[in-house]
Amino acid sequence: MEHIVEKLKKQIVAFAPKAHSEKVGTVVSAGDGIAEVEGLDDVMMAEMVSFDTSEGKPLADALEDGGELLGMALNLEEDTAKVVILGDAQKVREGMTVKATGNILSIPVGKELIGRVIDPLGVAQDGGLPIKTEKRNPIERKAYGVIERKSVSTPLHTGIKAIDGMIPIGRGQRELIIGDRQTGKTVIAIDTILNQLNEAKESRPICIYVAIGQKDSKVARIVKQLKDKGAMEYTIVVSASVSAPAALQFLAPFAGAAIGEYFMDQGKDALVIYDDLSKHAIAYRQMSLLMRRPPGREAYPGDIFYLHSRLLERAARLSDKMGGGSLTALPIIETQEGDVSAYIPTNVISITDGQIYLESDLFNKGIRPGINVGISVSRVGSSAQTKAMKKVAGKLRLELAQFRELEAFVQFSSDLDDDTKKRIEKGKLMVEVLKQDKHVPLPFEKQVAMIYVAGADLFNDANKSRVAELEAKFFALLESQYPEALTGIAKTCDLSEETQVLLKSAATALKKANPELFGK
């Protein structure tokens, strides 16, 4: 009997899984950035694995290669695991040894990343020194629950009058920027980063710009703009350009979220821009099809909605008990011919807390930013506005919507009553007031001042073609002769009666000094 028990024990030991530290497998097949590996029986989902590229090579070549290439296990099948190669896939070949690390894929996070351009694995891309940080955050992490959050109430100023006035963004919000190619989506995102220079240093959020599938030249141009303006002091750029493997393009936004969460967990504010999630979805589709996952609608995998929802759900404003930090997300989606009802756009619209819709027709008419006020919305609304902005911009959206209706009606009727004519003229003025050049974000107090005087009918007789010149002179006058008006708004975030009197006086003085800017 004892003999039989010993025999059974030996059989159990023989069939028992190998210890965690001895997880070594072999590449069965490799191609298109995907390696099929056998022998990694207890590998985890999204676990980092290491390909030994030095195997069978002369020592000099092995040292030059670094001897190690990372991959991420994504498809866990009965006999094999499909691994996405994070790097030069041509180095991986059949028969190569693969080791499981026992760690979920993570990236280095910390203040050392500020001012740097990195890839989604945290490797420096700007030619600077290698980045060394004390902490690593997992690429994937469960989002904070409802109990750990608090409602969004602090504004994140973009410096763009039309957005801060009508579609306000709060810290911890997810606001989608959506529109066709070449309508100024990236400009809005970059202007939001530049505008943080107008904020006090202690309340300035750390900005993370994630470039997914963009041209290297575009990313280089954006980095140069940020450096020239001094905005790289609080900005991190994560770049997975169009030439990068699909796996790195897939990881890029998750890397951006992981970096942002590091600052949020420290009680700071962070802003992450995903430019853009349409290309991210395409990269994920490419990976999924190569891994033989079943295609769904438009050949996207069935979990494409879950992919974007678990990414954007990580944006939050934490409760005071959790440190009060926030992570604001500005995802960008590119539409085809203005079709917001396509698969990926509707998915992301339903996940976010509002959208800023940029229209090609408005952009081509010279109305820039070309925001369609009708279908753009912020579901946080005036909760994320200062008292001053609430007072001056409350009726702005309604007035513009009425103007759009009347503008269409005017084409069919030449005989208009005085009230309709006034509304149309006021609408034309407000359209001109809300126009803004790119990369010239305005401090919030200047926005309030301009919207107030325009809304209070003080500039109704202004020459519509010279409103930009009028605005520049108005700000110059305020700064030189009425500085207490701007400082009053900035300090109190409110619009007192004394400040209103000062703004009216400044508008009257401007009219007297520049009569050529008024009248048709």
Side-chain angles (χ1 to χ4, degrees), residues 8 83 161 249 252 331 396 515:
L8 283 169
V83 173
K161 287 171 284 188
Q249 292 184 41
L396 187 57

Side-chain angles (χ1 to χ4, degrees), residues 235-248:
T235 304
I236 301 161
V237 176
V238 180
S239 176
S241 65
V242 69
S243 57
L248 289 183

Side-chain angles (χ1 to χ4, degrees), residues 321-510:
K321 192 178 176 183
M322 296 293 293
S326 73
L327 178 62
T328 310
L330 293 183
I332 294 174
I333 285 285
E334 188 179 290
T335 53
Q336 308 289 328
E337 293 292 319
D339 183 14
V340 290
S341 62
Y343 186 31
I344 301 301
T346 48
N347 275 359
V348 183
I349 285 169
S350 65
I351 295 163
T352 47
D353 307 314
Q355 68 275 346
I356 296 163
Y357 178 56
L358 300 170
E359 208 171 75
S360 301
D361 290 347
L362 291 172
F363 185 85
N364 295 333
K365 276 183 194 172
I367 299 170
R368 297 175 189 182
I371 296 170
N372 180 322
V373 182
I375 66 170
S376 296
V377 65
S378 170
R379 296 191 182 99
V380 172
S382 59
S383 302
Q385 274 181 321
T386 57
K387 285 181 183 177
M389 192 59 90
K390 273 187 210 177
K391 284 179 183 176
V392 300
K395 294 179 182 175
L396 187 57
R397 194 187 179 94
L398 182 64
E399 282 177 358
L400 275 176
Q402 285 177 340
F403 167 64
R404 294 275 176 236
E405 293 281 330
L406 291 170
E407 194 180 30
F409 177 68
V410 165
Q411 295 171 1
F412 305 103
S413 174
S414 56
D415 188 22
L416 297 170
D417 61 274
D418 289 342
D419 184 50
T420 306
K421 280 180 185 172
K422 275 182 187 174
R423 286 189 186 194
I424 288 167
E425 286 304 309
K426 179 78 176 288
K428 283 180 180 174
L429 173 69
M430 293 316 292
V431 166
E432 293 300 321
V433 165
L434 293 176
K435 282 183 184 177
Q436 201 165 329
D437 288 338
K438 65 179 182 178
H439 308 322
V440 193
L442 279 178
F444 126 85
E445 59 271 19
K446 285 188 176 179
Q447 294 181 48
V448 169
M450 190 62 198
I451 295 171
Y452 172 74
V453 291
D457 300 336
L458 295 169
F459 287 165
N460 278 5
D461 53 344
N463 186 332
K464 306 293 184 292
S465 62
R466 298 181 72 178
V467 168
E469 191 184 341
L470 171 72
E471 187 181 86
K473 289 195 172 178
F474 179 58
F475 290 150
L477 181 70
L478 283 176
E479 285 171 342
S480 61
Q481 295 180 38
Y482 301 88
E484 59 273 27
L486 292 175
T487 52
I489 298 168
K491 277 183 185 174
T492 63
C493 293
D494 203 349
L495 191 64
S496 64
E497 286 184 19
E498 293 84 358
T499 306
Q500 290 179 37
V501 170
L502 287 170
L503 291 174
K504 284 176 182 174
S505 302
T508 308
L510 185 75

Side-chain angles (χ1 to χ4, degrees), residues 279-290:
K279 293 185 179 73
H280 180 240
I282 289 165
Y284 186 57
R285 174 170 66 181
Q286 181 184 325
M287 269 174 44
S288 295
L289 293 174
L290 289 168

Side-chain angles (χ1 to χ4, degrees), residues 18 20-29 35-43 49-52 55 79-81 83 93-101:
K18 289 178 183 176
H20 187 79
S21 58
E22 296 176 6
K23 287 197 289 183
V24 178
T26 311
V27 175
V28 178
S29 64
E36 194 168 356
V37 179
E38 67 177 12
L40 297 180
D41 297 335
D42 33 349
V43 72
V49 300
S50 166
F51 295 93
D52 189 3
E55 205 173 56
D79 300 314
T80 59
V83 173
R93 60 193 184 280
E94 208 174 306
M96 185 177 275
T97 301
V98 185
K99 291 176 185 172
T101 61

